[in-house]
Amino acid sequence: DFQQAISQEQHITPQQEDVWQNISSRAEAICDNAAALLGNDATAEQTREAAWLAINAWGTVIVNGKECCTILGPPYCVDQHVSIAIVANITPFAVLLFLFLASLFASMCLRKRSLKDKTSSSTSSRTAEV
């Protein structure tokens, strides 16, 4: 996407290009370290270390910890940042929960007051009868 945007000159500033070149070179260095660990006689530990380096090159360097790609089957990656869709799904439930708790609190407070009013009015009517 970045290379395509550069080729189409879609408002890429020199600062943005420098940031992406820096990120790209950091990730490439990590991937080169991973590739150096692999070979025909790589041990299981070296293979694990190479996989760990490759995952970190993507997950830590390129996507800045917002995506975790450790799933062995599709979709491979899990998006870990809060998106509009998550907020849109959680907001109605949060509002309903707030309204429920507010109505529960209000009904408990109003019930106590109405009980106090009933007991005081029945006590005052009894004293008026005597």
Side-chain angles (χ1 to χ4, degrees):
D1 288 335
F2 178 69
Q3 294 298 335
Q4 185 180 23
I6 288 176
S7 67
Q8 295 175 358
E9 297 179 23
Q10 293 181 348
H11 308 291
I12 303 295
T13 65
Q15 293 84 6
Q16 289 172 313
E17 190 171 345
D18 290 342
V19 167
W20 273 102
Q21 291 301 333
N22 183 17
I23 289 171
S24 174
S25 59
R26 285 177 31 219
E28 188 175 354
I30 293 172
C31 287
D32 288 343
N33 290 342
L37 288 173
L38 297 175
N40 292 336
D41 57 346
T43 65
E45 184 61 35
Q46 289 173 321
T47 305
R48 267 193 295 277
E49 179 72 17
W52 183 82
L53 287 170
I55 288 170
N56 281 315
W58 173 259
T60 304
V61 177
I62 294 177
V63 294
N64 201 20
K66 293 181 182 176
E67 196 171 60
C68 181
C69 299
T70 58
I71 303 170
L72 297 178
Y76 301 108
C77 300
V78 176
D79 192 5
Q80 295 182 338
H81 74 284
V82 178
S83 68
I84 300 286
I86 292 171
V87 173
N89 287 329
I90 291 175
T91 300
F93 294 110
V95 169
L96 289 174
L97 179 64
F98 174 75
L99 291 173
F100 173 73
L101 293 175
S103 66
L104 185 66
F105 178 75
S107 66
M108 291 173 68
C109 290
L110 293 175
R111 185 173 182 198
K112 287 180 184 177
R113 287 184 187 157
S114 65
L115 288 175
K116 286 180 184 178
D117 291 341
K118 286 181 183 179
T119 56
S120 64
S121 65
S122 64
T123 307
S124 62
S125 65
R126 286 187 193 152
T127 54
E129 290 175 0
V130 175

